[in-house]
Amino acid sequence: SQTIHQWPATLVQPVGSPLSLECTVEGTSNPNLYWYRQAAGRGLQLLFYSVGIGQISSEVPQNLSASRPQDRQFILSSKKLLLSDSGFYLCAWSLLSGLGYTFGSGTRLTVV
Amino acid sequence: QKEVEQNSGPLSVPEGAIASLNCTYSDRGSQSFFWYRQYSGKSPELIMFIYSNGDKEDGRFTAQLNKASQYVSLLIRDSQPSDSATYLCAVINAGGTSYGKLTFGQGTILTVHP
């Protein structure tokens, strides 16, 4: 069966520090991968999606970037965190367009 | 106009009652519709999906889709306190550049009280 791993679960980082969040999927090949952010009291916002290695699409301009160095690995990064980057970051995967996503357990990021 | 709209609630129902959650969407090209449940502090989990007009039942859950009215709903029968959560409606338009992109509503907070 397929599983998705996301870490760390919680993170407290100072303003201006770098960020690296990692997500890996097991039990499937060539998944579509997604990064979402959920700010406090707000809905889920799609940040990036990837349909293959090295293929990254950005949905909104921001202080973040994403990379997909391997088929089942998706990384969210920032060179310098802002207070507004605080939120609940969720990685998700799907196999085919039109199917629902499966989410990882999320990373709660607090920038102080 | 938001792409996917939900009443944020909170919706409060007594245990054993039917909870009705509603969602409208703006893109007529939308093809797939999903309901996720999100407990506080946890990630969303998929509970229902529907692609065709009409009703789809799974246990205590029924999803209803009306593409002409651009409306999708979720009914929860015999509501239990464990159903208390935020319910997220999500929509996919699989065409064009929005490749399989799920667009979420803001979510409806449901509270089932004993």
Side-chain angles (χ1 to χ4, degrees):
Chain A
S1 64
Q2 301 92 356
T3 56
I4 179 169
H5 302 280
Q6 195 178 340
W7 66 93
T10 59
L11 194 58
V12 180
Q13 292 284 99
V15 169
S17 63
L19 173 73
S20 181
L21 303 180
E22 189 165 341
C23 170
T24 59
V25 180
E26 294 180 356
T28 187
S29 296
N30 198 30
N32 296 333
L33 296 171
Y34 309 86
W35 278 111
Y36 278 83
R37 176 171 62 201
Q38 188 174 38
R42 301 183 64 179
L44 283 159
Q45 179 187 34
L46 179 64
L47 303 176
F48 301 95
Y49 69 92
S50 172
V51 300
I53 296 174
Q55 300 178 61
I56 309 294
S57 296
S58 174
E59 283 292 303
V60 292
Q62 58 209 318
N63 186 39
L64 303 167
S65 63
S67 62
R68 184 170 177 174
Q70 299 181 40
D71 180 45
R72 291 169 289 177
Q73 184 185 29
F74 205 21
I75 297 172
L76 182 70
S77 303
S78 174
K79 292 182 178 178
K80 289 185 178 181
L81 284 169
L82 306 173
L83 287 174
S84 57
D85 291 324
S86 294
F88 191 37
Y89 287 82
L90 291 155
C91 180
W93 75 275
S94 70
L95 266 185
L96 295 172
S97 170
L99 299 182
Y101 300 174
T102 299
F103 284 89
S105 54
T107 296
R108 191 161 303 281
L109 171 66
T110 303
V111 182
V112 296
Chain B
Q1 182 186 7
K2 294 180 181 176
E3 293 182 64
V4 181
E5 292 205 52
Q6 296 179 253
N7 188 329
S8 61
L11 174 66
S12 181
V13 300
E15 184 173 357
I18 296 175
S20 178
L21 304 162
N22 304 314
C23 173
T24 58
Y25 59 95
S26 61
D27 188 348
R28 285 196 172 273
S30 299
Q31 300 175 359
S32 309
F33 307 86
F34 305 85
W35 284 99
Y36 284 79
R37 178 177 61 200
Q38 185 176 24
Y39 291 114
S40 180
K42 303 296 185 182
S43 62
E45 56 176 325
L46 180 64
I47 54 172
M48 288 287 288
F49 60 89
I50 187 167
Y51 303 139
S52 303
N53 277 328
D55 295 358
K56 179 181 178 182
E57 187 174 319
D58 183 1
R60 296 187 295 113
F61 298 98
T62 299
Q64 299 175 316
L65 175 61
N66 184 327
K67 289 187 177 181
S69 300
Q70 296 176 243
Y71 177 92
V72 58
S73 65
L74 178 70
L75 301 178
I76 306 175
R77 291 182 300 280
D78 188 25
S79 296
Q80 301 297 309
S82 59
D83 295 324
S84 299
T86 298
Y87 289 80
L88 301 166
C89 173
V91 171
I92 283 183
N93 180 342
T97 58
S98 299
Y99 185 82
K101 183 183 86 172
L102 261 183
T103 300
F104 286 84
Q106 294 289 98
T108 297
I109 299 171
L110 171 66
T111 301
V112 181
H113 53 86

